[in-house]
Amino acid sequence: MCGIVGYVGGQQAAPILLEGLTKLEHRGYDSAGVAVLGGSGVKVAKQAGRVRDLTDGLPKRFGGKVGIGHTRWATHGPANDVNAHPHTDAAGKVAVVHNGIIDNAAILRERLADRGVELLSDTDTEVLAHLVAASTADTLEGKVTDALAAIHGTYGIAVMHADFPDRLVVARNGSPLIIGVGDKEMYVASDLAALVRHTTTVAHLEDGELATVTSTGFTTYREDPGVPVDSGAKRGNSWGGMTSTGKEETTLDIDPADYDAGEHASYMRKEILEQPDAAERVLRGRLDERFGTAHLGGLNMDARDTRAIRRVKVLGCGSAYYVGQMGAALVEELARIPADAEAASEFRYRNPIIEPDTLYVAVSQSGETIDTLLAVQEIRRKGGRVIGLVNVVGSAIARECDGGIYLHAGPEVAVASTKALTNMFVGFALLALQLGRVRDLSIADGKRLISGLLALPGQIAEILEREDELADVAVQLAEADSLFFVGRVRGFPVAREGAQKFKEISYRHAEAYQTSELKHGPLALISPEVPTVAVVPEDELTDRNVGALHEIAARRGPLVVVTHKGVDLGDVEATRIDVPRNERELDPILLTLPLQLLAYHAARHLGHDIDKPRNLAKSVTVE
Ligand code: AGP
């Protein structure tokens, strides 16, 4: 969603800000703007549309070595030039960029209007600029603190002020903010992607913290600018020694090239092709072949804690929720612990009962998804134990959890998640293995699963080699306005994920159903114009699945069947996609892989902007 960049140092700020905004484009936005502070005060350039348009239209004289920039995702008021950030006060001395939502903006707008302040935009953010300007505090830190005291809601903000030209003041409450440490220059961003070309030494702000950033360093504090925040871990939640939290600067092991699509037509394709390596990384050092188990030190749980778990509840949104369903099935099958998955976006609204012997698992690529984060906070408030399956190290969800498994998929830029989801599945398999082996899963079965896991990267590569064949199938599917994706039991979350990927980037109506439910309603829609992609693994349900294929074929519904070699589809006319067999518990992820390529090539055939699908953002950080 919205993105923030900021700079203080010896260089001209505008090119750095614009380049940073380009790196945030994948998050989704509808307008962009920058403000710099130079000899003649604050200058602002902002407009609806792309960062490219903003760059092209930038005034010639736009100098300043302090600056802030923003990509906006409209929440209050339409996407237009006036509503774009940065917002300024009436005197044009204060400039503010903001991610999040100010809940009491309407009241504050009224109060400001009563005081004779003319509000130019429809946004909630503009009130912040006026509140900072109105504060009588004699420091920028004091003015920002005063302004924040008046607002309720979520924010990541960066503020600059013509009277304090050496600094930015930033603050965070619910929307991520990272400070990047350079050599006599400092950066601010809402997402690492905007920083990595300049620095990988960063500090993450916590909720409720502010920071003053100058060219030589930064200081963090809560409300009172005189009281610095302690450095060091906020909570004992280092996951296997891989991260530090709090105000320590952390140098991240990141290759800036990971944020570059290189020769690939899109990030999504690059990330699809990276899956064999990514899957290898998530397994590295986590398999104990001798005892047929997994070694997950980051869970921060000993065998006794693990043994005491009576139920597992997985929470995630969108695709992370669907993989969560695959993961819950793995836990039930391997550990025989009752497990289910629920959309994190719904969870806390039903006043959930939090049980001490339930293990809650939050799944998220970004570690920022607000619904998942709030679900984690609700559980912790009620005394529950939450672990995270998270890709982004040090992200809000990772920091909030009691422990977890980092996914090591590497940066995922495309909105449509692929490699992170594959690693989520593998992460669940590791968790299920560890939970299973302190219960009734035999050492032989543990070893069987480990062989299956070790075979996965090679089998994923095998499927990806058939890209051309899958592209042909995708082109046919792209012609349909509406499609079904169907599967049963283990295959149903696969169908859900397949439909999700397809609709996200091809904009075709793709609906997932349990194959068993077809004749309870949706069969009425089957016709030669409505293709079905059916997931039919070789398992105890193959015959029943094939029966359903006959019913679809009898209604002349075109069929694409993702299956295993040797599965007999009878005389059903279908385009067949065979995937390699693994252990049956691990099959779902291999059945999912071709569906990614079907979605990708359908969208490509239709000429869509694959990495930035309409109306969608990479990280959903507002409710
Ligand atoms: C995946 O293709 C989607 N873009 C989306 O459903 C995503 O999985 C969801 O928003 C959750 O994101 P997260 O993994 O970063 O929490």
Side-chain angles (χ1 to χ4, degrees), residues 316-322 363-370 372 389 397 412 414-418 420-421 424 497 500-501 504 613 616-620:
C317 293
S319 290
Y321 163 42
Y322 304 142
V363 200
S364 175
Q365 186 289 127
S366 60
E368 278 180 26
T369 302
I370 190 78
T372 311
L389 260 68
I397 293 171
E412 191 179 70
V415 166
S417 188
T418 52
L421 294 177
M424 285 171 188
E497 170 54 12
Q500 163 92 342
K501 214 97 296 171
E504 241 183 322
L616 296 180
K618 180 62 181 163
S619 306
V620 181

Side-chain angles (χ1 to χ4, degrees), residues 398-421:
R399 293 203 305 277
E400 197 69 42
C401 288
D402 295 291
I405 305 171
Y406 276 125
L407 300 173
H408 300 301
E412 191 179 70
V413 175
V415 166
S417 188
T418 52
K419 62 176 181 171
L421 294 177

Side-chain angles (χ1 to χ4, degrees), residues 125-150:
T125 305
E126 191 185 346
V127 300
L128 267 174
H130 296 294
L131 290 172
V132 171
S135 162
T136 53
D138 50 13
T139 61
L140 182 54
E141 292 75 4
K143 288 177 187 296
V144 173
T145 309
D146 281 352
L148 292 179

Side-chain angles (χ1 to χ4, degrees), residues 106-119:
I107 297 173
L108 293 172
R109 286 176 69 91
E110 265 175 43
R111 281 193 205 144
L112 285 164
D114 288 347
R115 279 195 246 145
V117 175
E118 189 193 355
L119 287 131

